[in-house]
Amino acid sequence: MALSFCGSNKCISNESISNKCVNAYSVDEGVLNNGCFVDALNLVPHVFLLFITFPILFIGWGSQSSKVQIHHNTWLHFPGHNLRWILTFSLLFVHVCEFAEGIVSNQNMDHLHLYMPAFMGFIAATTSVVYYHNIETSNFPKLLLVLFIYWVLAFITKSIKLWKYAEYNVGPQYLRFCITALLVILYALLMAVEMNVIRVRKYVFFTNPPKVKPPEDLQDLGVRFLQPFVNLLSKATYWWMNPLIIGAHKRPIELKKIGKLPIAMRALTNYLNKNISVYLSTQTAEDPSFGRPILLSSTFRYLADLLGFAGPLCILGIVKHLKDVYFGVHFMSSSMLLQNTSVLAVLLFLALVLQRTFLQASYYVTIETGINLRGAMIYNKILRLSTSNMSMGEMTLGQINNLVAIETNQLMWFLFLCPNLWAMPVQIVMGVILLYYFLGFSALVGASVIVLLAPIQYLVATKLADTQKSTLEYSTDRLKKTTEILKGIKLLKLYAWENIFCDSVEETRGKELTSLKTFALYTSISIFMNTAIPIAAVLVTFVMHHLIDKTDPSPSEAFAALALFHILVTPLFLLSTVVRFAVKALVSLNVLSALNGSSYFSVFVQVANGFFTWGSNLSTLSDINIRIPTGQLTMIVGQVGCGKSSLLLAMLGEMQTIEGILTWHLFSSVSHDAHSKNRHSVAYAAQKSWLLNATVEENITFGSPFSKQRYKAVIDACSLQPDIDLLPFGDQTEIGERGINLSGGQRQRICVARALYQNTNIVFLDDPFSALDIHLSDHLMQEGILKFLEDDKRTVVLVTHKLQYLIHADWIIAMKDGSVLREGTLKDIQTHDIELYDHWKTLMNKQDQDLEKDIQQDSQTTLERKTLRRAFYSREAKSQIDDEDEGKRFLVKCDSICETINSPSSPQVCWCYLSSGGYFMVFLMVFSKLLKHSVIVAIDYWLALWTSSKTSGTSPTDSISMFIILCAAGITLCLITSLSVEFLGLSAATSLHHNLLNKIIHAPIRFFDITPLGQILNRFSADTNIIDQHIPPTLESLTRSTLLCLSAIGVISSITPAFLVALVPLAVAFYFIQKYFRVASKDLQDLDDSTQLPLLCHFSETAEGLTTIRAFRHEARFKQRMLELTDTNNTAYLFLSAANRWLEVRTDYLGAVIVLTAAGASIWSLRYGLPSGGLVGLGLTYALTVTNYLNWVVRNLADLEVQMSAVKKVKSFLSTESENYEGSMDTSQVPENWPQDGEIKIQDLCARYDPMLKPVLKHVNAYIKPGQKVGICGRTGSGKSSLSLAFFNMVDIFEGKIVIDGIDICKLPLQTLRSRLSIILQDPVLFSGSIRFNLDPERTCSDDRLWEALEIAQLKNMVKALPGGIDAVVTEGGENFSVGQRQLFCLARAFVRKSSIFIMDEATASIDMATENILQKVVMTAFADRTVVTIAHRVHTILTADLVIVMKRGNILEYDRPETLLEQADGMFASFVKADM
């Protein structure tokens, strides 16, 4: 029949309209009484809108659309923005319903007026929202008038239609009446919104409209995170992310591309807005700043969950009503429409789209809240931690870093899963009610299986949390040990102890792996339960149904129930996860509050009768009565470990006061010029130098305004200019990573320069000369302290061992054993305590500084400068070899370079990981996974056949038995697959860590010179953690979701082959979505990691320099920096989570389209009688699962790619060359007591650090007799230290040889050689453990021998006084001993090893002179029969030697007894001695 607007002439028979045959176009009873004309009238507003808006849209904005992305500075939201979008969406939905109703009720498809207005209405509503959006983004409200007119017209025409219906008694029982009423309401509301815009913006009918500017954030083009500012549709679909994600394919996403955070999300805003205590208080709900987002998120969550049930209900409807296709009536009831399968399919599609949109919105809101919370949390606490916590080893740097990296993220995750806590119970209850409605009592039995197994899941989850905790403890412990090994690697190699320490790490790793095994077991049980429970529930339900009702369920009920079981498992699975995270979050909160509980320092203002302690109740300083005179130089002197540094810290308020008063007078005698001084701060240079990761200039100015003149004066006073000239970028060179590229003396001078530069009244210098040689010390004393500081009239407190400077002191405090021995001027002490004065005098004569200074003197400083030069040289050489772009940037800012390996992880890396796990495990995993999924499909297929009664020839009992067998097989396979993946991961983690540790510990020392410590540590911390705990679950999830999606698509295609046609475009869309997402996700993940690094570095930096920062009163500045770094990291994190939402929204919508096409294909195929109802149900159930798993495929793929880069980084270290430990001689050929005599022959020795570098020793020949005491001296870079390393075969000896007691050392196995010699290094290295462990890690010596060594090293009394004596605790790095004491322990360690050859490499640098003299005597007596080689920087220490070797540029220049050399007046040795007398 011909298609016409009003249809053809028709006889209508309907209860509300009397029977008559009429001409469709007849207007006999009035125009408005012809329904067709009323519908035509309804077209007018829509046509009007399209007619006016299309030209404006095309002409006005067509040219501009490309620019909108860049200039978001005109964006605005008009009043009622969100309400307008919601109403428009509702309008679109109602138009779809109107269209569907028109088509379904139009029996012969010839009445256009039934659905044409609806179709035009849909297009007009879409146009209205596009038009509105464009007006809004260009802030041009006058054009909104068009929309206002449209809403008024539409409202009037629809009202006429409704009025006519009412007149003809067409009431709410008819669907068309309900739809028309809804449209009238919606148009009225939209009209109201439009009037409100006119009222507020006054753009028409008013004389002077207000100028409205866009939000501050949008005017700043640096803000690129637009989620809070875009329209509702873009918010829901993350449309604004498109340019970023698609652009990532062309060029990587960089920090500047993601810009700044919007003001409301910045850490500072949150830090100021929300008092942390309020945030973490129990009344979170009452706190509006925190309660609102959680409430919003929960609302979204509820809506999503309720919409989730539309799936099973629609499946029920579609499978049930597959028979009745058409209803031929003009007016139909609502229930009739819902019995139309096509309508149900569309409704299912819309429900899925909405459900997913709400779900993603809920996730986004919680993530944003989490970020706001994280911004403000911990840092404040750190600045108030007391120093005692750090030095007593209560809080290590590792723990503090864990807090930032892990604990805060746990809290964020908890927030993320929080809405689930209250949404799940509702979901479960709803699910059970629907099941009962479908299948009656038997469904409750099936549901009870799920509910009864929930406590077991909870139990498993809590066990997982406990195991995770113990794993974390072990891994922290392992990291601590690894860090110590890497820091002391040179010592370990020289003493041949690397295997002992390696075993100790392996032992801890063993415990960690046991814990990880338990973890893997519980994880696999958890995964097994999640996959097996739905199978078990379905089995129990249908078996019970068969037994109770004696009938088989219909296909529609069976598959609706199946879909419901799938829905029910999710909340129960998540419940266990949420509970686990709740537990973790509580643990994290406890840790954070423990950080709160750590004793804070308070500013003491008042010293009389003072007793101070480091946290224990034993007082470290007792009965202190001192005064520091204003504007004068006070010196504190005393032997090693008598409490000098502690006294300074006590005055700074860093120690706990037991009793007594400490008064700070704000020195009123000093001029009160407000700008001249920072009164309350103290310029403090600690004994252990602390540098920032910043330029030299920033380290010295330390936040003070830059004054060129003052800066220059300070640089000269500390003689830093020559050192600065050596640096590649002068004072703009980055130093840091604990100042690793500078020597001790250079770092110390920078710290002193910082103290001098600051404009404070009082300066505390803690032993600033300890790492400096005599020239520098004098220069610093004269120029810096006496001239620069005294000119400034500053009060100076100086701790020192250099007694020759006492003559300059205005006031002296002498300390002994933690209390003040004497106090007064030098004159007072000379008159009152002659004994002490004489003692000092003898020491002073030892090194009188009134001698001529020979400028040419080659000092320690020059040595340091040479070392610095060598460091550049070696790094550059390395860069040429490796051809990496890393050469010039030898200065490592934290760990960021060479970290981001940009190329995506290749299949080789994946294979490397899998093969590390063992081939059998790989085979088992692949095989069991494939089998499991085949069985699961078989179960559902059997169910479809059984319910459709297609199992012809088999009795119901056989069907049931077959069903039971399949289910049992499925459950068993679930267990096998989950175990195989976890244990594959575990064995891979075991072998990778073992190989990495062995490779690194046995690498040549050169490797550690050119590889930053942080980078090596990262392999053992972050990367190992990823391999241990993150890759296995990702791998499991990826394989499971991929196989589920593939099996689902396979099932649908086999049931309705027509689906394959639609599959092609869907697959193409999916391919592009995942392709773009993976690239962007990897970039953003890298940004997130690389912005977290500076944050962690800044954090550990702050923790290390706590005393300095607090003394300078710079807490606010560091806090500010922390907030900035947090913002940068949060920006990256926010973009990463927005990208995840972008992906999920798109894959979810794709999933919804798959469901729609599957349903459409089934309905269409049914006309040709293809599948049975049961199979349609099966297809739809599978289509629903695809929506859940599609995004997991992409997400897991992207995650795995990022996680595999950890394997890649570890793999890159596995190719490191090891030292050659074997040697050509067998250990058995070396005599037990070799070297017995200590005779050393050096024959034509040439050595270098690396085959690519120049030789450092050239044709050296020397002969050292047994028992001789030899001193080696020479200018810097002359090869002294290289010679000492050559004895241990630590450098590449490429010509000549060293023969010790008749054996060429190059032929010996390295372990044997190094374990038979003894050395003391310049930097004291102690390991955490006990004193016994530090002296004798091999546990081969008796106590007497250890005590003897301690006595020789002047430590016996001190150690006896410690709790535990020789087994007393040594904290990380030996922090609980002073630097001098640490050096003495290192001497004792060398004495313990009764070797006949003993090498001292400038071992007395940080010891006071009295102790040094005693030591020199001891070495001469205790080692009378041993060969001692001393490398000297202070020449006076080798004047008593039997033989002196003077070196220059890798050659021996002079070689004789010291007396003979001194006679050669123009000789080099003589000039050294003259300069150093």
Side-chain angles (χ1 to χ4, degrees):
M1 194 170 277
L3 202 61
S4 61
F5 186 73
C6 289
S8 53
N9 300 346
K10 194 86 195 256
C11 292
I12 300 169
S13 135
N14 199 320
E15 51 203 71
S16 59
I17 307 167
S18 53
N19 293 350
K20 24 175 140 162
C21 289
V22 289
N23 177 349
Y25 293 94
S26 147
V27 285
D28 300 345
E29 297 176 18
V31 177
L32 290 182
N33 288 337
N34 182 331
C36 182
F37 273 64
V38 174
D39 284 338
L41 190 61
N42 273 286
L43 274 176
V44 175
H46 309 324
V47 176
F48 159 79
L49 181 73
L50 295 174
F51 192 72
I52 292 191
T53 53
F54 262 66
I56 298 179
L57 281 175
F58 278 107
I59 300 162
W61 284 288
S63 56
Q64 241 193 4
S65 58
S66 57
K67 300 178 203 157
V68 169
Q69 192 50 42
I70 315 163
H71 300 293
H72 50 242
N73 53 349
T74 57
W75 287 10
L76 259 199
H77 281 183
F78 294 138
H81 169 91
N82 285 346
L83 181 61
R84 177 194 299 264
W85 276 90
I86 292 168
L87 290 173
T88 312
F89 280 135
S90 314
L91 186 63
L92 289 170
F93 178 69
V94 177
H95 276 314
V96 170
C97 294
E98 189 184 13
F99 184 73
E101 192 268 353
I103 284 198
V104 173
S105 61
N106 178 15
Q107 197 174 14
N108 296 328
M109 296 296 275
D110 61 349
H111 285 259
L112 272 177
H113 72 98
L114 288 179
Y115 49 86
M116 183 81 171
F119 178 69
M120 291 301 286
F122 184 84
I123 291 184
T126 313
T127 312
S128 78
V129 82
V130 174
Y131 179 71
Y132 168 74
H133 169 68
N134 279 298
I135 292 174
E136 206 175 42
T137 49
S138 55
N139 190 7
F140 199 71
K142 282 193 169 57
L143 291 173
L144 277 180
L145 201 54
V146 177
L147 282 183
F148 179 60
I149 298 169
Y150 169 62
W151 301 132
V152 174
L153 288 176
F155 174 69
I156 294 170
T157 53
K158 275 287 177 244
S159 302
I160 293 175
K161 188 172 178 179
L162 192 66
W163 161 58
K164 281 293 162 197
Y165 281 164
E167 211 173 73
Y168 278 91
N169 295 328
V170 177
Q173 71 271 35
Y174 294 110
L175 184 62
R176 201 175 302 169
F177 177 84
C178 301
I179 289 175
T180 312
L182 270 176
L183 286 171
V184 171
I185 294 168
L186 286 171
Y187 284 134
L189 288 170
L190 282 161
M191 204 160 64
V193 169
E194 214 61 80
M195 284 158 81
N196 184 45
V197 178
I198 296 178
R199 183 185 66 81
V200 177
R201 290 296 301 268
K202 304 183 173 162
Y203 64 83
V204 64
F205 313 137
F206 291 95
T207 44
N208 44 352
K211 277 261 181 285
V212 180
K213 278 190 168 172
E216 195 182 328
D217 283 318
L218 289 179
Q219 292 172 40
D220 174 359
L221 290 177
V223 174
R224 303 279 167 82
F225 188 78
L226 304 177
Q227 181 72 1
F229 313 109
V230 291
N231 63 55
L232 210 59
L233 182 65
S234 187
K235 262 199 178 99
T237 57
Y238 298 86
W239 194 260
W240 62 272
M241 288 281 290
N242 285 358
L244 181 83
I245 288 181
I246 293 167
H249 229 266
K250 297 191 186 80
R251 65 172 68 91
I253 300 174
E254 288 150 3
L255 259 183
K256 62 173 184 289
K257 209 168 178 182
I258 59 175
K260 296 184 274 196
L261 273 185
I263 294 164
M265 291 183 185
R266 291 183 193 161
L268 184 64
T269 321
N270 291 300
Y271 178 68
L272 299 175
N273 284 357
K274 296 161 185 156
N275 190 341
I276 297 159
S277 58
V278 179
Y279 237 120
L280 301 179
S281 67
T282 42
Q283 300 85 24
T284 35
E286 291 167 28
D287 171 20
S289 58
F290 193 51
R292 258 193 63 206
I294 284 228
L295 188 69
L296 184 65
S297 168
S298 307
T299 313
F300 284 148
R301 190 55 215 255
Y302 277 133
L303 288 169
D305 287 346
L306 292 176
L307 281 165
F309 290 111
L313 288 170
C314 289
I315 289 182
L316 179 78
I318 292 174
V319 180
K320 201 175 192 174
H321 299 301
L322 276 172
K323 315 295 169 288
D324 344 310
V325 181
Y326 290 119
F327 304 91
V329 285
H330 267 185
F331 285 90
M332 52 189 284
S333 66
S334 319
S335 60
M336 276 178 170
L337 182 76
L338 289 179
Q339 284 170 1
N340 183 299
T341 44
S342 309
V343 172
L344 280 173
V346 175
L347 277 180
L348 174 57
F349 169 71
L350 290 174
L352 279 174
V353 167
L354 270 178
Q355 181 212 356
R356 292 295 160 173
T357 310
F358 283 137
L359 190 65
Q360 299 306 335
S362 156
Y363 285 158
Y364 171 75
V365 174
T366 31
I367 285 179
E368 193 184 295
T369 316
I371 279 186
N372 291 346
L373 167 72
R374 176 178 164 191
M377 264 182 52
I378 305 175
Y379 193 66
N380 214 13
K381 311 279 191 302
I382 285 290
L383 286 173
R384 311 218 308 275
L385 256 185
S386 69
T387 318
S388 63
N389 289 95
M390 300 286 289
S391 65
M392 300 308 284
E394 290 170 33
M395 285 290 276
T396 63
L397 284 176
Q399 280 170 301
I400 288 174
N401 275 346
N402 261 357
L403 277 179
V404 189
I406 300 171
E407 309 294 346
T408 46
N409 284 351
Q410 300 280 27
L411 278 173
M412 281 184 64
W413 259 103
F414 175 60
L415 277 178
F416 185 56
L417 292 170
C418 211
N420 291 323
L421 271 179
W422 32 89
M424 281 169 194
V426 178
Q427 216 176 348
I428 293 169
V429 172
M430 280 283 298
V432 173
I433 292 172
L434 281 176
L435 272 172
Y436 182 70
Y437 165 68
F438 291 159
L439 293 175
F441 178 68
S442 58
L444 295 182
V445 182
S448 65
V449 171
I450 298 186
V451 177
L452 288 174
L453 288 176
I456 301 179
Q457 275 186 303
Y458 170 73
L459 191 73
V460 171
T462 43
K463 286 279 185 227
L464 266 175
D466 296 344
T467 325
Q468 182 118 30
K469 231 162 75 181
S470 63
T471 311
L472 191 70
E473 280 164 19
Y474 290 133
S475 68
T476 311
D477 195 23
R478 169 177 62 80
L479 250 183
K480 190 170 150 192
K481 287 184 174 173
T482 314
T483 312
E484 288 202 323
I485 288 183
L486 293 172
K487 281 187 180 163
I489 189 77
K490 188 172 179 184
L491 181 94
L492 294 184
K493 284 188 170 298
L494 289 167
Y495 272 80
W497 284 345
E498 57 263 71
N499 289 343
I500 298 173
F501 279 78
C502 186
D503 293 344
S504 124
V505 171
E506 288 281 18
E507 182 192 347
T508 314
R509 175 70 176 166
K511 291 179 191 162
E512 187 186 2
L513 284 171
T514 313
S515 180
L516 278 170
K517 254 187 202 125
T518 322
F519 186 74
L521 189 67
Y522 285 128
T523 311
S524 35
I525 290 175
S526 171
I527 294 171
F528 158 66
M529 291 185 75
N530 294 330
T531 43
I533 285 177
I535 302 178
V538 170
L539 173 67
V540 172
T541 305
F542 290 122
V543 171
M544 286 303 291
H545 193 278
H546 182 77
L547 296 176
I548 295 171
D549 299 1
K550 299 282 183 267
T551 58
D552 293 338
S554 71
S556 59
E557 292 164 348
F559 285 100
L562 198 60
L564 268 176
F565 278 125
H566 279 293
I567 289 180
L568 270 184
V569 170
T570 315
L572 286 164
F573 159 56
L574 273 177
L575 197 59
S576 60
T577 315
V578 173
V579 169
R580 186 162 93 236
F581 268 106
V583 173
K584 278 190 189 175
L586 289 172
V587 170
S588 297
L589 270 179
N590 290 343
V591 174
L592 290 172
S593 56
L595 186 58
N596 306 351
S598 297
S599 38
Y600 289 162
F601 108 108
S602 54
V603 183
F604 296 103
V605 190
Q606 306 243 331
V607 172
N609 192 21
F611 287 80
F612 300 96
T613 175
W614 278 127
S616 55
N617 291 326
L618 301 167
S619 61
T620 313
L621 299 175
S622 43
D623 196 20
I624 303 288
N625 290 288
I626 53 165
R627 64 192 184 85
I628 306 288
T630 307
Q632 296 190 332
L633 172 59
T634 306
M635 288 197 192
I636 304 180
V637 292
Q639 283 205 333
V640 172
C642 67
K644 304 183 293 296
S645 300
S646 299
L647 181 59
L648 282 190
L649 292 171
M651 288 194 277
L652 285 172
E654 293 286 342
M655 290 179 76
Q656 294 171 22
T657 314
I658 299 179
E659 58 175 282
I661 339 165
L662 165 66
T663 323
W664 281 75
H665 300 284
L666 298 181
F667 313 103
S668 45
S669 57
V670 180
S671 66
H672 271 282
D673 170 13
H675 300 292
S676 65
K677 305 274 190 282
N678 290 327
R679 279 228 168 59
H680 298 276
S681 68
V682 175
Y684 168 69
Q687 183 175 13
K688 183 183 172 200
S689 49
W690 171 73
L691 297 182
L692 287 170
N693 267 314
T695 63
V696 178
E697 182 189 298
E698 286 163 347
N699 264 293
I700 293 174
T701 55
F702 202 59
S704 295
F706 182 76
S707 141
K708 192 163 186 180
Q709 191 184 352
R710 185 178 180 82
Y711 180 71
K712 180 101 184 67
V714 169
I715 292 275
D716 292 343
C718 299
S719 37
L720 277 167
Q721 199 54 53
D723 302 276
I724 288 177
D725 293 342
L726 276 177
L727 295 169
F729 308 114
D731 61 4
Q732 296 307 308
T733 307
E734 291 266 352
I735 53 177
E737 208 214 10
R738 304 186 164 186
I740 257 165
N741 48 324
L742 298 180
S743 71
Q746 288 155 335
R747 295 169 57 188
Q748 192 146 27
R749 297 206 307 284
I750 290 176
C751 291
V752 174
R754 177 195 299 153
L756 299 189
Y757 185 85
Q758 297 300 310
N759 217 342
T760 54
N761 268 320
I762 184 159
V763 182
F764 280 9
L765 302 173
D766 190 354
D767 202 3
F769 307 122
S770 64
L772 309 187
D773 60 30
I774 186 87
H775 293 77
L776 280 177
S777 305
D778 282 352
H779 185 83
L780 179 60
M781 186 72 203
Q782 296 297 338
E783 296 298 315
I785 296 171
L786 297 177
K787 196 163 154 215
F788 189 84
L789 290 177
E790 300 228 333
D791 285 356
D792 258 10
K793 292 276 184 293
R794 286 154 90 180
T795 308
V796 184
V797 180
L798 173 70
V799 168
T800 184
H801 290 144
K802 307 249 176 188
L803 300 177
Q804 66 267 36
Y805 299 142
L806 285 175
I807 47 171
H808 301 300
D810 301 308
W811 191 255
I812 296 171
I813 298 171
M815 300 212 40
K816 188 174 186 184
D817 301 335
S819 52
V820 177
L821 181 66
R822 273 268 167 234
E823 161 177 54
T825 60
L826 192 58
K827 273 236 164 55
D828 295 345
I829 292 171
Q830 193 174 351
T831 47
H832 294 110
D833 194 338
I834 301 165
E835 189 185 336
L836 179 65
Y837 183 74
D838 287 347
H839 174 60
W840 282 353
K841 206 158 178 192
T842 47
L843 290 175
M844 282 196 274
N845 288 343
K846 194 76 187 155
Q847 227 182 8
D848 206 359
Q849 70 353 303
D850 286 332
L851 278 170
E852 289 283 297
K853 295 288 171 295
D854 181 359
I855 306 303
Q856 295 307 311
Q857 153 68 6
D858 197 27
S859 62
Q860 179 189 350
T861 319
T862 347
L863 166 93
E864 289 176 347
R865 288 174 187 154
K866 282 280 175 62
T867 319
L868 193 57
R869 214 175 275 133
R870 189 189 300 155
F872 292 125
Y873 176 64
S874 67
R875 301 225 179 212
E876 277 165 16
K878 149 97 170 146
S879 76
Q880 286 151 16
I881 307 159
D882 294 3
D883 222 37
E884 286 172 2
D885 187 28
E886 190 199 326
K888 303 292 177 286
R889 286 187 298 166
F890 72 101
L891 299 152
V892 183
K893 193 168 186 184
C894 249
D895 190 11
S896 50
I897 56 167
C898 22
E899 274 309 310
T900 38
I901 301 179
N902 270 327
S903 58
S905 303
S906 56
Q908 290 100 309
V909 178
C910 274
W911 180 240
C912 164
Y913 174 78
L914 290 172
S915 55
S916 306
Y919 297 117
F920 172 70
M921 292 303 288
V922 176
F923 167 75
L924 183 67
M925 176 187 87
V926 174
F927 181 69
S928 61
K929 281 256 171 200
L930 291 171
L931 201 58
K932 176 185 103 171
H933 284 279
S934 314
V935 170
I936 288 178
V937 171
I939 293 172
D940 295 339
Y941 187 69
W942 188 258
L943 185 67
L945 293 178
W946 173 32
T947 52
S948 307
S949 311
K950 284 275 181 69
T951 47
S952 49
T954 52
S955 67
T957 327
D958 291 346
S959 298
I960 282 271
S961 325
M962 185 66 192
F963 190 59
I964 292 173
I965 291 166
L966 282 172
C967 289
I971 290 172
T972 318
L973 282 165
C974 286
L975 184 62
I976 295 171
T977 51
S978 58
L979 283 170
S980 66
V981 177
E982 283 297 323
F983 282 89
L984 168 76
L986 192 69
S987 61
T990 311
S991 76
L992 283 170
H993 179 274
H994 174 75
N995 296 344
L996 178 69
L997 183 67
N998 277 315
K999 268 291 179 200
I1000 285 191
I1001 273 196
H1002 296 124
I1005 196 76
R1006 176 105 190 101
F1007 171 78
F1008 300 94
D1009 291 342
I1010 54 184
T1011 316
L1013 176 69
Q1015 198 180 327
I1016 303 176
L1017 271 179
N1018 239 10
R1019 299 297 150 271
F1020 286 103
S1021 56
D1023 295 339
T1024 301
N1025 182 34
I1026 288 175
I1027 293 170
D1028 285 353
Q1029 294 190 15
H1030 296 195
I1031 294 181
T1034 312
L1035 193 63
E1036 203 287 327
S1037 183
L1038 176 67
T1039 47
R1040 183 173 47 161
S1041 41
T1042 311
L1043 286 169
L1044 269 166
C1045 287
L1046 290 176
S1047 55
I1049 287 169
V1051 167
I1052 301 170
S1053 309
S1054 65
I1055 294 169
T1056 47
F1059 174 71
L1060 285 171
V1061 181
L1063 191 62
V1064 178
L1066 289 175
V1068 172
F1070 179 72
Y1071 169 75
F1072 280 108
I1073 289 173
Q1074 64 86 33
K1075 176 178 157 185
Y1076 286 129
F1077 170 77
R1078 275 168 50 204
V1079 177
S1081 165
K1082 186 170 188 319
D1083 286 353
L1084 289 167
Q1085 187 84 50
D1086 284 348
L1087 276 182
D1088 184 38
D1089 293 346
S1090 64
T1091 50
Q1092 201 171 19
L1093 270 171
L1095 185 64
L1096 293 179
C1097 284
H1098 176 74
F1099 219 86
S1100 55
E1101 204 171 70
T1102 309
E1104 263 186 73
L1106 274 178
T1107 28
T1108 310
I1109 295 170
R1110 289 203 291 244
F1112 278 96
R1113 293 274 180 281
H1114 273 278
E1115 294 98 329
R1117 185 165 70 89
F1118 277 77
K1119 205 175 284 181
Q1120 176 62 35
R1121 175 84 183 120
M1122 177 70 177
L1123 293 173
E1124 285 164 15
L1125 289 169
T1126 307
D1127 274 346
T1128 315
N1129 181 228
N1130 280 349
T1131 313
Y1133 185 82
L1134 257 179
F1135 267 98
L1136 182 63
S1137 43
N1140 286 338
R1141 303 283 82 76
W1142 180 92
L1143 166 81
E1144 290 184 4
V1145 164
R1146 274 151 192 71
T1147 48
D1148 288 344
Y1149 290 175
L1150 262 186
V1153 175
I1154 289 179
V1155 173
L1156 181 64
T1157 41
S1162 313
I1163 294 163
W1164 181 77
S1165 311
L1166 241 154
R1167 293 190 191 163
Y1168 305 99
L1170 290 171
S1172 65
L1175 291 177
V1176 172
L1178 175 66
L1180 288 180
T1181 310
Y1182 268 88
L1184 270 183
T1185 54
V1186 173
T1187 48
N1188 289 327
Y1189 290 109
L1190 259 186
N1191 66 51
W1192 281 112
V1193 174
V1194 188
R1195 282 283 292 282
N1196 288 323
L1197 201 57
D1199 285 350
L1200 194 67
E1201 219 166 0
V1202 171
Q1203 288 165 3
M1204 277 299 165
S1205 69
V1207 179
K1208 187 170 184 173
K1209 290 173 192 170
V1210 167
K1211 193 178 167 211
S1212 70
F1213 272 28
L1214 289 179
S1215 53
T1216 312
E1217 293 275 316
S1218 295
E1219 281 188 288
N1220 177 17
Y1221 275 80
E1222 294 306 309
S1224 52
M1225 283 177 76
D1226 195 38
T1227 320
S1228 53
Q1229 296 171 296
V1230 185
E1232 273 293 305
N1233 52 3
W1234 178 91
Q1236 197 172 8
D1237 310 326
E1239 173 195 49
I1240 304 175
K1241 291 180 192 161
I1242 302 174
Q1243 299 171 354
D1244 200 30
L1245 178 72
C1246 296
R1248 59 195 169 192
Y1249 279 98
D1250 195 276
M1252 308 303 288
L1253 299 179
K1254 292 176 183 166
V1256 280
L1257 296 174
K1258 302 165 199 157
H1259 306 290
V1260 174
N1261 287 289
Y1263 174 63
I1264 299 172
K1265 294 179 190 149
Q1268 243 183 348
K1269 309 290 172 278
V1270 182
I1272 302 180
C1273 62
R1275 297 191 171 162
T1276 311
S1278 56
K1280 309 182 294 293
S1281 296
S1282 307
L1283 184 59
S1284 71
L1285 291 178
F1287 290 132
F1288 291 85
N1289 202 354
M1290 292 273 275
V1291 287
D1292 175 23
I1293 298 178
F1294 63 97
E1295 226 179 282
K1297 56 184 178 179
I1298 299 179
V1299 179
I1300 298 181
D1301 279 6
I1303 297 182
D1304 177 354
I1305 61 164
C1306 291
K1307 292 182 181 168
L1308 286 169
L1310 284 183
Q1311 287 290 112
T1312 314
L1313 167 68
R1314 292 173 186 172
S1315 60
R1316 308 284 178 93
L1317 308 179
S1318 256
I1319 185 166
I1320 305 175
L1321 291 172
Q1322 184 176 347
D1323 299 325
V1325 178
L1326 291 186
F1327 301 101
S1328 57
S1330 61
I1331 294 177
R1332 178 194 300 277
F1333 175 72
N1334 269 286
L1335 297 181
D1336 174 34
E1338 295 162 296
R1339 299 281 168 109
T1340 51
C1341 300
S1342 63
D1343 280 15
D1344 299 343
R1345 186 147 150 208
L1346 298 179
W1347 281 113
E1348 179 193 358
L1350 287 171
E1351 192 170 8
I1352 292 175
Q1354 317 295 308
L1355 288 167
K1356 189 171 180 180
N1357 297 338
M1358 194 269 296
V1359 173
K1360 270 201 165 140
L1362 292 173
I1366 207 162
D1367 291 308
V1369 175
V1370 179
T1371 58
E1372 196 176 350
E1375 292 283 334
N1376 52 344
F1377 296 105
S1378 71
V1379 181
Q1381 287 168 327
R1382 279 181 243 166
Q1383 189 59 294
L1384 296 177
F1385 274 117
C1386 293
L1387 285 165
R1389 179 192 286 152
F1391 297 144
V1392 169
R1393 186 177 269 191
K1394 292 263 174 125
S1395 162
S1396 62
I1397 296 180
F1398 182 66
I1399 295 162
M1400 293 171 73
D1401 185 358
E1402 200 216 345
T1404 52
S1406 37
I1407 301 176
D1408 61 288
M1409 289 173 57
T1411 319
E1412 186 185 355
N1413 292 333
I1414 300 168
L1415 271 176
Q1416 289 298 336
K1417 288 194 189 104
V1418 165
V1419 170
M1420 294 308 168
T1421 52
F1423 293 125
D1425 55 340
R1426 305 193 197 178
T1427 307
V1428 179
V1429 178
T1430 309
I1431 289 171
H1433 295 289
R1434 302 177 192 168
V1435 188
H1436 71 92
T1437 54
I1438 55 170
L1439 287 176
T1440 52
D1442 305 325
L1443 175 68
V1444 167
I1445 298 177
V1446 182
M1447 297 193 67
K1448 183 177 183 178
R1449 292 191 189 145
N1451 297 308
I1452 292 184
L1453 192 68
E1454 297 175 5
Y1455 173 92
D1456 215 327
R1457 299 182 61 75
E1459 301 82 58
T1460 322
L1461 292 176
L1462 281 173
E1463 287 163 12
Q1464 305 170 7
D1466 56 346
M1468 202 167 187
F1469 184 65
S1471 69
F1472 286 170
V1473 175
K1474 205 181 292 172
D1476 193 33
M1477 274 313 266

